[in-house]
Amino acid sequence: MTPKISIIMPMYNSEKYIGLAIQSLLNQTFKDFEAILIDDCSTDNTLKVAKKFKDERIKIIQNEKNLGMPGSVRNVGLNVARGKYIYFFDNDDVMLPNGLEILIKTAEKFDADMVHSTISLHSETGDFKSFNEIKFKALQTGRINKISSDLKTRITEEILMRFTHCALWLSLYKTDLVNGSRGGWDFKIS
């Protein structure tokens, strides 16, 4: 059966956090997902910790060589994702139990191509910062020289060119926007 959401998680030397990240996915109230975990040749016990989780929704892929960048590792996940929606999740992230449920209900209610969520940051010492306390530095300024007339394509371009502040891993995307008839994102690092 095809899952509704494909969650793509690059893993690299994250043995300290990976168990909590995976457990937060398995604790989701929304259950119709596959979790594609791609190990990028970790040199610690990341893979060993990940393999302890026995759940049919988890698929673990081991890269034969280190690709070096999360974007390149995400491409591996995109190639095997089967869900109607894609959600990018990092190996040190934790999601509240109803996170996927809220995202998917919103996406379906509005037939949205993308639903963006928010974050809070917690440190190992228990320090907490809400999203609006965090200061961001613009990664790039200017305008896209050639703007598409298609709004969906324009949004995609602005996200990928970093003109719109939107973390890749905070949004749920329709798969055909990312990896299908309207998309075809390829995370190339230059």
Side-chain angles (χ1 to χ4, degrees), residues 128-142:
F128 168 79
K129 285 193 176 190
S130 69
F131 186 70
N132 46 356
E133 290 179 86
I134 302 165
K135 293 189 171 124
F136 291 95
K137 178 182 172 191
L139 298 175
Q140 194 170 0
T141 58

Side-chain angles (χ1 to χ4, degrees), residues 59-73:
K59 177 177 185 173
I60 298 176
I61 298 171
Q62 293 175 256
N63 287 342
E64 290 182 17
K65 68 175 191 164
N66 179 274
L67 300 178
M69 297 299 288
S72 299
V73 179

Side-chain angles (χ1 to χ4, degrees), residues 66-122:
N66 179 274
L67 300 178
M69 297 299 288
S72 299
V73 179
R74 286 184 184 110
N75 287 333
V76 174
L78 284 173
N79 287 332
V80 297
R82 301 176 301 131
K84 180 179 177 181
Y85 295 90
I86 300 284
Y87 189 80
F88 298 104
F89 198 71
D90 287 343
N91 59 193
D92 61 351
D93 290 348
V94 175
M95 183 183 288
L96 292 172
N98 62 346
L100 286 179
E101 184 177 354
I102 291 169
L103 288 168
I104 195 69
K105 281 182 177 179
T106 304
E108 290 177 336
K109 178 179 179 179
F110 296 100
D111 191 28
D113 291 310
M114 179 179 90
V115 177
H116 187 67
S117 61
T118 188
I119 61 171
S120 65
L121 300 180
H122 299 263

Side-chain angles (χ1 to χ4, degrees), residues 7 9 12 16 26-28 31 58-59 62 68 85 89 95 98 105 112 114 128 136-137 151 153 159 169 171 173 183:
I7 300 167
M9 182 194 308
Y12 181 75
K16 196 171 186 180
L26 297 178
N27 290 344
Q28 291 298 302
K31 304 292 186 193
I58 296 175
K59 177 177 185 173
Q62 293 175 256
Y85 295 90
F89 198 71
M95 183 183 288
N98 62 346
K105 281 182 177 179
M114 179 179 90
F128 168 79
F136 291 95
K137 178 182 172 191
L151 180 59
T153 303
I159 291 169
W169 39 263
S171 301
Y173 307 89

